[in-house]
Amino acid sequence: MRHIQRRIALLALPALVGSILVATGPAGADPTGPSAATSRSQPEDRESVRLVQIRLTGADMLDKVAAAGFDLEHGLRRVPTGIEGEAVVTAEQVTELTAMGVEVLADDAGFAWSDQADGGIGVDAAGARAVQPSNHQATVRIARADWFTTKGQGFLYVEARTTEGQQADPIVGMQVENDSGKGTPFGFARTMSRFVDSGQYMFHRNLFKLDTRPTRIQVTSSTGGVTTGVVSNWLENAPPPLTANPSYKSDFVDGYKHPQQLYSRAKEIARQYPDIAEIVYLPNQTNGYQRKAQAQLGGTGQAAVVATSAAWGHEGGNEITVEFVDRPDANLPLAVEVTGKAVRVLLATDAAGAPASTATQVADALRTRSAGLIDRAHPYRTNEGSGIVAPTAGPVALTDFLDQKRVGAPEGEVPRGPATIPVLRIGKHRDGKKPGVLIQAQDHAREWVPATTSLESAERLVHNYRSDRETKKIVENTDIFFILSNNPDGANYSFYNFASQRKNMTNHCPDASADPAQRNSWGVDLNRNYRVGSGHDGYAGGSTNCVSGTYQGPEELSEPESKNIIWLVEKYSNIKFMMSVHSNGGQLFWQPGAYIADGRITTPRPPLGDEAFYWQSAARILSQVKAHRETVVTPENVGGSSDVLYSSAGNVREDLYYTYGIYAFGWEVGGSVYNPATGNWQGGSFQPEWTGNPELVSGHAETMEYANGIMEMFRVAADWGKDKKDPTSRLIPGDGKYRGPVDVRFETSEPATIYYTTDGSRPTLESPRYAATEFREPGQVFHVTETTTFRWFSVDSAGNIEKNYDPTKKDKRNNYRTATITIAKK
């Protein structure tokens, strides 16, 4: 049996053109907007920061507001009228958001799916059925119809698309009806919500409660199209294969952990279990939990001066003082005296003996005449510095602002300076021959649950290896790499200084954004710092504004944390799976993750076989999450991240998938949980109370249930590594004579990519790939109007090729699949 390992090129995919076939093909991507000035206000007092519910008109406004420096990435979700979420802001910034067109909502004013049946959309369903077009011309298609239960309540999720969906005048409506079981009539008509992103129609969809599982649905368009579909089960209700063992050990993590605790435990695990665990140290040290010492003198007007030390605060910068001194004599020049760490600026005087030095002049003097103590001094933000500097009441101490601990932060000082990130590697055979799985947690500092979830998964592996058969299979058939915190500097800042910190601590800001009041907004969003679909290449979702929550950095891979990930997957080429664990949106997604705004052009969509493998894996992973306390990640929150969420330019998942062929998932743990007491879905937070309501919002419960999911991902990888079985495929309908044009499609026995030809040539890896009808839809349908011979082969996710066919060379067997559709001539 021959295996191939495929690399996915970031290139346009070949299209099939010709008169004999008409095939519906894949769609596009997601946009966002321009950068804004850096002089907008910033949170100056962390106690004044609060979360507000907001609604934006779409991804373009999201990008505009994020680029202006607002912190918006919190529980964002698509709604028919745009995007809703939360912003971390001050009262002053609420006014700024409103001025930009953002709608600030009351706490309970967000979008909610309607549970009420209605009278429909004025379509004569019987008449529509009478003129229903043939399959290749269908104006209405059902992408998904999923049934699930959670906490005793049933739900039906429907996603459908109409070819007329882009029409805006009048706007095309869609209606969905369902039966009440096999053989019952359709009823309970509901109007579906139309979703548009950046001017591009995406789909209609609906989620509503039902007490009885339907078997079929019917979707009708206001333009006359109608179609029916079968309802499928979303997620399994079976007991988990791991925790079902009575002797299975879990629940090891007893609270949130800062990076020092995470790394210490990783090293201890490697020491305790040397036969199955070791530490790999990443080569690039972080830029450090450290800041230059600063002082802002003279307020915020034209006479204000910002001074920054040359040394890090803990290395002497915090010992520096600056004093502006008045002198009684007239016509004195500006001078600077330095005694030890004390800097005295002797202000110039005019003919009347009054101070005469401007802020610009004082800043220049501090930079050039402070004996190297001050290496950065400038007027406040965008001021010209034309104001006359007033003397200070005495020496003003510079500080790095890292010596004060946030209330409730854990005990213990944070090590200053750069950090070396350890990777905990677990596997019985760590020789590169087993499929590797990379779990990367806490790219974003304030996301504490991903770190505890990952640590809990590691603990389960080593504690159950000798006593649990399924765990033993994982450890002996995979090679697992845990990065428990990929952003230790930012995470420490979140624990000890500013809980809402998202980025690392590196300050790339120019003078206009470098004053101390901006310190909680500095840093690079590590998940915008990669090379594929980057903001530097015009993709949306990454900001060039250094104080934006999605600041992409000065260049691709500018940060040591992102360089380390690339080093790791290049050194350990057996890494074939990756999970970047985030919180707290309640989504599981993959590629495409970024898009160009103009036209909503995504990075290339994965081949249909890869897409199917992602969906299959997601169902397995999320079924194990559900097994803990019936938490359901709904189908609307699963898929390509640019389709279910927004564009995230330069994210790690796309780099690893497109560059290295790694199946790379992004996981937003947490999110909404159904509350049967209120009948509503209740959201979470980045740092939920650890021992909160175990049925709703709880750091402990989220850690345990999502650790279930990570453990199942290891089983997915182990199964993939042992897969030596060739896929099978067929053309439906197959060989035969037909009286007129016929619609045909491919079907595979498992997730697999099909390469085919219709021009008589042998199929190769360069041949057209069988594609989806549209994004989030099944395979395309070919309308065959002339006699056509299909030649094809299929390749599954593990690289097994159907019938042991070798597409790279010719041989006499030519054992690819073939079928001829013969169209009788009239």
Side-chain angles (χ1 to χ4, degrees):
M1 179 182 303
R2 180 176 178 83
H3 296 258
I4 60 170
Q5 298 300 326
R6 288 161 295 130
R7 300 291 175 109
I8 310 300
L10 189 58
L11 298 170
L13 305 181
L16 177 67
V17 268
S19 61
I20 59 170
L21 303 179
V22 178
T24 53
D30 235 340
T32 27
S35 181
T38 60
S39 60
R40 49 160 298 273
S41 67
Q42 292 291 324
E44 302 208 6
D45 181 352
R46 61 177 176 262
E47 302 305 325
S48 69
V49 173
R50 64 190 178 97
L51 292 174
V52 295
Q53 301 287 328
I54 59 170
R55 180 183 295 139
L56 305 101
T57 56
D60 48 353
M61 179 180 284
L62 171 64
D63 233 26
K64 176 183 176 182
V65 175
F70 288 94
D71 186 358
L72 297 183
E73 277 215 357
H74 182 81
L76 293 178
R77 61 172 183 154
R78 291 193 185 278
V79 298
T81 53
I83 296 174
E84 289 183 356
E86 294 176 328
V88 182
V89 290
T90 63
E92 180 182 358
Q93 290 168 357
V94 169
T95 303
E96 294 180 47
L97 283 172
T98 303
M100 296 177 73
V102 177
E103 183 180 358
V104 179
L105 307 173
D107 289 342
D108 58 352
F111 171 75
W113 297 106
S114 173
D115 292 325
Q116 303 301 314
D118 60 36
I121 52 178
V123 174
D124 181 352
R129 281 195 295 273
V131 296
Q132 172 71 355
S134 62
N135 193 31
H136 69 282
Q137 297 174 326
T139 59
V140 178
R141 298 189 303 273
I142 296 171
R144 305 193 65 85
D146 293 307
W147 167 262
F148 65 88
T149 60
T150 177
K151 307 198 185 286
Q153 178 61 57
F155 287 87
L156 177 65
Y157 173 73
V158 178
E159 197 171 286
R161 187 177 278 109
T162 170
T163 56
E164 308 295 329
Q166 192 68 25
Q167 180 177 317
D169 187 20
I171 293 175
V172 175
M174 298 262 272
Q175 173 183 288
V176 60
E177 298 173 90
N178 60 271
D179 64 17
S180 299
K182 189 174 182 179
T184 60
F186 292 118
F188 316 104
R190 290 170 170 82
T191 299
M192 300 182 71
S193 298
R194 176 177 178 263
F195 281 71
V196 175
D197 183 33
S198 300
Q200 299 297 313
Y201 169 70
M202 296 179 65
F203 35 58
H204 282 73
R205 64 183 182 185
N206 221 47
L207 174 71
F208 51 88
K209 298 176 187 175
L210 284 178
D211 294 328
T212 302
R213 186 195 188 285
T215 60
R216 296 182 65 81
I217 63 166
Q218 177 175 273
V219 176
T220 308
S221 167
S222 60
T223 59
V226 64
T227 191
T228 60
V230 176
V231 176
S232 302
N233 288 329
W234 173 241
L235 307 186
E236 299 292 331
N237 291 315
L242 291 168
T243 56
N245 180 351
S247 64
Y248 185 81
K249 304 178 187 69
S250 61
D251 205 353
F252 295 98
V253 181
D254 58 3
Y256 293 122
K257 307 294 181 186
H258 56 64
Q260 293 72 247
Q261 293 170 317
L262 294 168
Y263 296 166
S264 176
R265 181 55 190 152
K267 295 172 188 177
E268 182 63 14
I269 287 174
R271 188 194 67 78
Q272 288 180 300
Y273 304 93
D275 58 327
I276 59 170
E278 64 179 298
I279 293 294
V280 174
Y281 289 99
L282 296 176
N284 301 290
Q285 285 194 314
T286 69
N287 294 324
Y289 177 78
Q290 56 189 9
R291 287 271 168 84
K292 299 296 182 71
Q294 292 186 301
Q296 184 172 317
L297 303 95
T300 60
Q302 289 292 341
V305 175
V306 178
T308 303
S309 65
W312 298 107
H314 66 286
E315 293 179 346
N318 289 335
E319 301 168 17
I320 297 171
T321 62
V322 172
E323 183 178 8
F324 297 162
V325 181
D326 188 15
R327 293 182 287 172
D329 297 329
N331 297 318
L332 294 176
L334 178 66
V336 178
E337 294 180 347
V338 179
T339 305
K341 296 291 182 69
V343 180
R344 301 178 78 239
V345 178
L346 309 179
L347 300 173
T349 59
D350 59 16
S357 298
T358 65
T360 297
Q361 292 168 339
V362 169
D364 289 342
L366 283 171
R367 279 198 311 274
T368 59
R369 290 187 266 174
S370 63
L373 295 176
I374 305 295
D375 73 346
R376 188 171 185 177
H378 50 85
Y380 177 77
R381 300 201 180 176
T382 57
N383 289 352
E384 296 178 357
S386 56
I388 301 301
V389 172
T392 59
V396 177
L398 275 63
T399 175
D400 61 8
F401 296 94
L402 299 180
D403 56 348
Q404 296 182 10
K405 296 179 182 177
R406 187 172 53 81
V407 174
E411 294 295 326
E413 282 296 327
V414 183
R416 302 295 174 88
T420 298
I421 299 177
V423 181
L424 175 60
R425 185 182 187 186
I426 297 177
K428 182 63 177 176
H429 307 289
R430 303 183 302 280
D431 54 7
K433 295 181 181 179
K434 299 295 182 180
V437 184
L438 170 59
I439 303 297
Q440 176 210 49
Q442 209 170 37
D443 250 1
H444 295 149
R446 63 193 176 196
E447 298 170 4
W448 295 359
V449 175
T452 55
T453 297
S454 302
L455 178 59
E456 171 70 19
S457 303
E459 297 280 11
R460 292 185 187 184
L461 288 174
V462 297
H463 282 92
N464 291 294
Y465 170 60
R466 301 192 186 282
S467 59
D468 179 73
R469 182 175 60 182
E470 292 296 325
T471 304
K472 188 177 184 70
K473 289 180 183 178
I474 291 172
V475 175
E476 294 191 346
N477 290 288
T478 59
D479 188 2
I480 299 168
F481 299 80
F482 286 98
I483 301 178
L484 299 176
S485 175
N486 195 47
N487 183 4
D489 303 339
N492 277 318
Y493 197 72
S494 176
F495 270 98
Y496 289 93
N497 303 97
F498 179 63
S500 294
Q501 177 74 9
R502 170 181 166 86
K503 303 177 287 183
N504 70 5
M505 288 182 62
T506 308
N507 180 9
H508 290 292
C509 283
D511 292 349
S513 299
D515 55 272
Q518 303 269 38
R519 65 188 183 276
N520 292 336
S521 298
W522 294 333
V524 173
D525 182 344
L526 300 178
N527 204 35
R528 299 296 184 275
N529 194 231
Y530 290 86
R531 302 166 296 181
V532 175
S534 164
H536 298 279
D537 295 326
Y539 285 81
S543 176
T544 58
N545 185 345
C546 68
V547 294
S548 167
T550 55
Y551 176 53
Q552 63 198 17
E555 61 186 20
E556 296 166 355
L557 297 184
S558 63
E559 304 309 293
E561 298 90 343
S562 53
K563 288 187 176 80
N564 279 334
I565 301 300
I566 301 305
W567 176 88
L568 190 68
V569 299
E570 290 186 347
K571 180 176 178 62
Y572 300 100
S573 58
N574 64 314
I575 295 177
K576 301 300 179 186
F577 292 83
M578 184 265 193
M579 180 80 82
S580 181
V581 191
H582 294 260
S583 69
N584 68 327
Q587 293 103 11
L588 180 59
F589 41 71
W590 47 85
Q591 303 75 40
Y595 50 75
I596 295 171
D598 188 9
R600 197 181 183 276
I601 303 169
T602 66
T603 50
R605 294 185 178 274
L608 186 58
D610 280 6
E611 180 84 4
F613 180 70
Y614 271 124
W615 277 103
Q616 181 187 77
S617 302
R620 289 180 58 174
I621 291 166
L622 296 176
S623 291
Q624 295 312 309
V625 173
K626 182 181 179 183
H628 182 71
R629 56 168 186 163
E630 290 198 84
T631 295
V632 172
V633 176
T634 60
E636 66 185 289
N637 288 316
V638 180
S641 63
S642 65
D643 302 330
V644 304
L645 201 53
Y646 47 76
S647 177
S648 51
N651 68 78
V652 63
R653 305 180 309 279
E654 303 227 277
D655 204 328
L656 298 197
Y657 177 75
Y658 293 115
T659 309
Y660 303 102
I662 295 170
Y663 288 107
F665 293 82
W667 205 357
E668 292 276 348
V669 306
S672 297
V673 178
Y674 181 69
N675 184 348
T678 63
N680 297 317
W681 293 81
Q682 181 170 323
S685 67
F686 291 120
Q687 300 141 17
E689 187 178 344
W690 181 256
T691 56
N693 186 330
E695 292 301 313
L696 295 173
V697 179
S698 161
H700 174 262
E702 289 181 7
T703 294
M704 297 304 130
E705 66 190 351
Y706 286 100
N708 277 6
I710 289 179
M711 296 297 289
E712 185 63 20
M713 183 179 179
F714 299 152
R715 297 179 75 241
V716 168
D719 291 345
W720 180 91
K722 293 184 292 182
D723 182 8
K724 301 296 186 290
K725 184 178 180 181
D726 292 354
T728 61
S729 61
R730 59 178 181 152
L731 191 70
I732 301 175
D735 273 313
K737 294 183 179 180
Y738 302 89
R739 294 182 178 178
V742 62
D743 293 336
V744 301
R745 60 184 174 84
F746 286 109
E747 183 179 90
T748 59
S749 60
E750 60 176 295
T753 297
I754 290 177
Y755 297 83
Y756 69 94
T757 65
T758 58
D759 60 2
S761 63
R762 66 188 297 273
T764 70
L765 294 171
E766 303 302 318
S767 299
R769 285 194 299 238
Y770 184 54
T773 304
E774 256 283 17
F775 67 94
R776 298 173 66 82
E777 288 193 29
Q780 63 199 122
V781 175
F782 301 105
H783 186 59
V784 182
T785 60
E786 297 180 7
T787 297
T788 304
T789 297
F790 288 82
R791 293 176 170 86
W792 77 93
F793 65 93
S794 60
V795 186
D796 69 14
S797 61
N800 299 306
I801 304 180
E802 186 172 8
K803 297 180 67 176
N804 204 29
Y805 173 62
D806 187 345
T808 65
K809 61 183 180 182
K810 292 184 179 181
D811 59 34
K812 294 181 179 180
R813 293 180 302 167
N814 280 334
N815 56 335
Y816 46 76
R817 300 295 310 280
T818 181
T820 298
I821 306 296
T822 302
I823 306 298
K825 293 184 178 180
K826 296 181 179 179

